[in-house]
Amino acid sequence: MGTTAKPKEEKKKGGSGGGKKPGERKERARGPHAGAGLPVPPPRLRAFYQDTVRAKLKEQFGFENPHEIPGVEKIVLNVGLGEAIKQPRLLDGIVDELSIITGQHPVKKRAKKSIANFGLRQGQEIGAAVTLRGPMMWEFLDRFIAVAIPRIRDFRGLSTRSFDGRGNYSVGLKEQMIFPEINYDDIEMIHGMDITIVTTAQRDDHALALLKELGMPFRMTEDKKGGR
């Protein structure tokens, strides 16, 4: 149930008393970044969508009403952790990681019903999720496409068959380490997550064209076989 997580490999043991306590994170002294005090620039990918992608989609599908042109409405990141049933503190680490990745504080997800075989009680916290909209959504999508996806091991392109029939696309990740914001030394376990891109498209082919124009690297071979 939930995202499968695997523990990190044990690090080499050093002297006594120098290790990090469970759940404790390293504190790093950091000065202000290079852009401190400067105006926040508009999201690059949003400007690209407005200036270039919309015109291409209008020409490709012959949209007469500008409101018909599909766009990205929101992005949802979700992590389910079955191990949280016995080790609730692990969920705090996942919340911290999602905050670092997205720049927004997630909410913890609770079980909707009890399952005796798994020792799960209704209302027990078993995951975390965050929903991004507006500029933060565009910034995350830009980093996800340009930086995180190329770091996936043995990556051969995203499947075109993960649309839901209503213009929304989901991708499952095996590990959070593809995000460069995550420091390997600070995590307690490697886990996956599900990312859902919700669009305003009413059809999957419209959503696929939108995401392609935004730079999502899909596997072209599936298109020839009739993948959605």
Side-chain angles (χ1 to χ4, degrees):
M1 52 179 295
T3 302
T4 301
K6 52 183 178 181
K8 292 169 51 180
E9 296 178 0
E10 292 293 333
K11 301 175 185 177
K12 294 182 179 180
K13 296 182 180 180
S16 60
K20 184 174 59 173
K21 296 180 180 179
E24 181 182 351
R25 293 179 174 270
K26 293 181 179 179
E27 294 291 337
R28 290 191 178 92
R30 295 181 181 178
H33 59 78
L38 298 178
V40 179
R44 184 199 68 85
L45 193 60
R46 183 176 66 182
F48 176 70
Y49 165 74
Q50 294 173 340
D51 299 339
T52 304
V53 174
R54 286 179 59 85
K56 289 185 176 181
L57 294 176
K58 181 179 180 180
E59 180 180 358
Q60 179 178 350
F61 295 103
F63 293 123
E64 297 182 359
N65 187 335
H67 296 291
E68 292 181 303
I69 302 175
V72 182
E73 181 179 346
K74 62 183 179 180
I75 297 178
V76 181
L77 289 81
N78 182 70
V79 178
L81 189 68
E83 289 84 350
I85 298 175
K86 297 181 179 179
Q87 303 182 67
R89 65 177 181 79
L90 294 178
L91 202 53
D92 294 331
I94 289 177
V95 169
D96 290 343
E97 290 169 8
L98 285 178
S99 298
I100 293 171
I101 292 170
T102 64
Q104 183 171 307
H105 190 72
V107 295
K108 292 183 178 180
K109 309 296 288 185
R110 298 178 179 273
K112 295 182 179 179
K113 60 181 181 180
S114 300
I115 303 178
N117 292 343
F118 294 103
L120 179 64
R121 302 188 308 274
Q122 182 178 3
Q124 191 170 8
E125 295 174 340
I126 55 171
V130 60
T131 300
L132 301 174
R133 293 182 173 87
M136 298 186 74
M137 174 194 75
W138 286 108
E139 291 286 2
F140 170 80
L141 184 59
D142 196 359
R143 288 184 286 109
F144 181 59
I145 294 173
V147 181
I149 289 180
R151 290 163 57 96
I152 298 176
R153 279 185 278 181
D154 301 322
F155 180 68
R156 298 179 181 177
L158 297 174
S159 173
T160 60
R161 301 175 182 175
S162 296
F163 289 90
D164 65 354
R166 299 184 297 275
N168 305 316
Y169 183 77
S170 296
V171 56
L173 303 178
K174 295 182 179 180
E175 56 183 36
Q176 77 275 38
M177 299 307 300
I178 67 168
F179 295 98
E181 299 91 344
I182 300 298
N183 190 321
Y184 180 82
D185 294 330
D186 290 344
I187 66 174
E188 292 188 62
M189 66 165 49
I190 296 174
H191 62 81
M193 68 180 66
D194 295 317
I195 298 178
T196 300
I197 302 174
V198 179
T199 75
T200 59
Q202 301 300 312
R203 291 167 35 182
D204 286 349
D205 58 338
H206 291 174
L208 175 60
L210 166 66
L211 296 181
K212 275 186 177 180
E213 292 295 341
L214 290 175
M216 292 281 280
F218 291 104
R219 287 198 293 269
M220 301 305 296
T221 53
E222 289 185 348
D223 293 344
K224 297 178 182 178
K225 294 179 182 179
R228 289 186 298 180

